[in-house]
Amino acid sequence: MSVSNPSHRPIGIYDSGIGGLTVLKTLIEQLPNEKFIYFADTANLPYGNKTPGEIIQFSHNIISWFQNTMQTKLVIAACHTSSALALNKLSDNTANFDIPIIGTIYPMLNTIINSKQHNNIGIIATKASIESKIHENIFKAHGFNGKIVSISCPNFVPIIEADSIDHKELDYHAEIYLREFIKEDLDTLIFGCTHYPLIKTNIAKLLPKHIKYIDPAEHIARDTIALLTNNNLLNSLNQTSNQSNLTFYCSKDADKFGSKIKNILHIHADINLHMPLQYCLS
Ligand code: DGL
């Protein structure tokens, strides 16, 4: 793929599976002229129970593929686990990436720190993200001095990625995970995994009505627009806001992944979905 004007290049976005589609959906609405390539690392799903070394390696492979093979102008890590464990390592000079990378955590930072509405925060995320303590460390380093209660929810992603969601099983685990929050008098819940907005109804019915939910998708979209604008990378040429702007790749089970894309993004026609031949884990 060779595109000379950088602004005409696509935006790469990735997750372990369908979670990042919650971010892609918002991006498509707010950036209708952009072309997106979505990669789901379904062969390595779930990332949340992998070691930091594995998560760094998967993320490195995907970002390299976006930069070198797909020539994207930007990469969005629509995966908290990758953002938490890998992005600080991959953003330094030794990683050889010269395109910008946006993660899930920094885009919501200003809202957390500057809004008076978020004082007692609950965070739900994968085991790897919670064990990294990245949210606490970043928020506190930037002056947040409220309460933060973090809970890992390892059963959520496998249930959400199953052929169909078993709501009984989901509610059973949600009740156990969220019990702790009810005692804590929280005002805010952060979806610290991009899969979780897909089960917001199951979560919200267990928590007090006044809780405010932070879905990083809106914040990521705002930062993406700012980055493209400030670097003269907004695509002004492509005026076709339609499905041809979307290309999907996954590393396993393409049929299963394809039908989930259609459900989540409400697409009724054929989708442009491939398994990348060049992609390998070495
Ligand atoms: N959706 C991802 C996240 O935001 C990955 C979940 C997983 O694969 O465990 O953390």
Side-chain angles (χ1 to χ4, degrees):
M1 191 182 286
S2 173
V3 183
S4 50
N5 185 336
S7 70
H8 301 160
R9 293 182 184 161
I11 295 172
I13 169 166
Y14 73 90
D15 182 37
S16 60
I18 58 175
L21 296 173
T22 61
V23 178
L24 179 63
K25 200 170 176 185
T26 306
L27 287 165
I28 297 167
E29 283 160 16
Q30 299 199 18
L31 287 164
N33 296 340
E34 297 297 331
K35 295 183 177 153
F36 294 96
I37 299 176
Y38 184 97
F39 181 81
D41 194 5
T42 42
N44 295 307
L45 178 86
Y47 276 11
N49 63 9
K50 301 294 187 297
T51 64
E54 287 172 313
I55 296 162
I56 292 167
Q57 186 65 59
F58 301 150
S59 308
H60 183 276
N61 290 345
I62 296 166
I63 299 169
S64 301
W65 176 76
F66 272 133
Q67 174 179 281
N68 302 329
T69 307
M70 307 315 284
Q71 300 194 347
T72 62
K73 59 185 174 186
L74 158 73
V75 174
I76 298 171
C79 174
H80 285 264
T81 311
S82 171
S83 301
L85 279 297
L87 287 200
N88 61 343
K89 309 264 180 329
L90 299 181
S91 306
D92 72 18
N93 291 337
T94 56
N96 292 329
F97 296 125
D98 49 26
I99 49 172
I101 305 169
I102 293 183
T104 55
I105 299 165
Y106 279 99
M108 62 179 149
L109 185 61
N110 274 342
T111 302
I112 301 292
I113 291 167
N114 297 328
S115 161
K116 302 262 178 294
Q117 298 187 317
H118 310 300
N119 301 306
N120 297 323
I121 294 176
I123 301 171
I124 47 173
T126 64
K127 182 169 169 286
S129 294
I130 295 295
E131 285 177 358
S132 76
K133 296 201 180 310
I134 186 125
H135 296 89
E136 285 96 324
N137 292 343
I138 292 179
F139 295 168
K140 285 184 180 160
H142 287 82
F144 179 78
N145 50 25
K147 181 162 70 175
I148 303 177
V149 185
S150 305
I151 292 180
S152 75
C153 306
N155 290 304
F156 278 171
V157 168
I159 293 173
I160 296 167
E161 287 281 346
D163 287 339
S164 65
I165 293 182
D166 180 338
H167 286 277
K168 216 169 147 201
E169 199 192 346
L170 179 61
D171 290 345
Y172 169 79
H173 291 291
E175 209 274 314
I176 294 169
Y177 294 144
L178 302 178
R179 210 176 272 164
E180 176 83 15
F181 285 150
I182 298 173
K183 292 188 254 156
E184 293 286 350
D185 191 25
L186 302 175
D187 51 40
T188 302
L189 183 77
I190 294 178
F191 290 122
C193 170
T194 49
H195 281 74
Y196 299 170
L198 295 168
I199 55 164
K200 184 176 178 186
T201 316
N202 301 71
I203 290 169
K205 75 181 178 193
L206 295 169
L207 294 177
K209 297 270 175 293
H210 67 269
I211 297 238
K212 291 169 279 297
Y213 294 88
I214 296 192
D215 175 350
E218 288 293 329
H219 304 271
I220 294 169
R222 188 207 49 225
D223 277 18
T224 303
I225 293 168
L227 188 142
L228 294 176
T229 309
N230 295 339
N231 291 284
N232 244 345
L233 285 173
L234 274 174
N235 193 345
S236 51
L237 186 76
N238 177 37
Q239 298 296 335
T240 51
S241 159
N242 64 40
Q243 216 186 292
S244 63
N245 291 341
L246 303 176
T247 309
F248 299 90
Y249 288 83
C250 65
S251 48
K252 196 182 167 189
D253 295 334
D255 287 346
K256 189 170 148 189
F257 180 58
S259 54
K260 288 179 179 173
I261 296 170
K262 289 184 169 190
N263 279 342
I264 293 170
L265 298 183
H266 306 298
I267 295 173
H268 303 292
D270 287 343
I271 48 173
N272 200 356
L273 170 65
H274 314 270
M275 304 258 284
L277 296 174
Q278 314 89 317
Y279 183 77
C280 68
L281 294 179
S282 58

